[in-house]
Amino acid sequence: MVAHSPARLDATPLPGARVLVVEARYYEDLADELLRGVRAAAEAAGASLDVLTVMGALEIPAAMAIALDAAERRGAPYDAAVALGCVIRGDTGHYDIVAGESARALMDLSVARRLPLGNGILTVNTEDQAWTRARVGELNKGGGAAEAALAVLRLRRRLQGDI
């Protein structure tokens, strides 16, 4: 039996969908490549992107929550969100804190707000591993994070009878 990803099976266009991307620019070249993957996935779905930049992965959840609140106050809420960044293991325990706490905060935000959210924060041991995961022509984890968020958005719309 072959397992299939729902994101690959359902390519229903999402015209008008608004996606918030919050990217950590600590590793700028990697961030550019991750964002390239997100842009391609959003374009394929017909979704629009707003991109906000923060320094590191720990700042992503707070910036995302602030941006979500601001968009709701303006009457233009986001339909989905994507977090992008990279945490490379070093010689201290800082990696475990950044990787774990950013992931936990994003999951809490997603569940509390019923927000389709793709976590594209790479957690790797080396920069080479990060590039393998970030490159659009390889594992394309930025694109994968966007596809994951869009798949949950499609699910939500289907369950609500919108598509």
Side-chain angles (χ1 to χ4, degrees):
M1 183 166 115
V2 176
H4 294 283
S5 165
R8 304 252 188 271
L9 293 176
D10 184 357
T12 303
L14 294 165
R18 297 185 66 239
V19 179
L20 171 65
V21 177
V22 180
E23 62 164 354
R25 299 290 301 175
Y26 192 84
Y27 298 101
E28 290 200 16
D29 291 342
L30 286 164
D32 288 342
E33 187 69 4
L34 288 166
L35 185 57
R36 192 163 72 98
V38 171
R39 287 189 192 284
E43 183 178 319
S48 66
L49 298 179
D50 287 339
V51 180
L52 299 178
T53 299
V54 296
M55 288 293 295
L58 276 179
E59 291 78 40
I60 292 172
M64 189 173 283
I66 291 166
L68 291 168
D69 286 347
E72 285 179 15
R73 280 193 304 276
R74 287 191 315 271
Y78 289 103
D79 298 296
V82 178
L84 296 178
C86 181
V87 184
I88 299 175
R89 188 179 298 280
D91 294 331
T92 69
H94 186 67
Y95 168 90
D96 296 315
I97 293 167
V98 174
E101 291 301 311
S102 62
R104 180 205 48 80
L106 288 171
M107 184 59 69
D108 289 349
L109 185 65
S110 177
V111 172
R113 292 181 180 247
R114 305 325 185 251
L115 176 70
L117 191 148
N119 185 347
I121 300 175
L122 305 178
T123 52
V124 296
N125 292 315
T126 67
E127 190 171 342
D128 286 342
Q129 289 176 345
W131 276 108
T132 297
R133 286 160 179 75
R135 278 191 198 100
V136 171
E138 293 186 51
L139 295 180
N140 190 17
K141 293 298 185 176
E147 289 171 359
L150 294 171
V152 175
L153 176 56
R154 285 183 185 100
L155 173 68
R156 181 173 74 195
R157 286 185 175 182
R158 191 167 51 253
L159 292 172
Q160 291 174 340
D162 296 336
I163 57 173

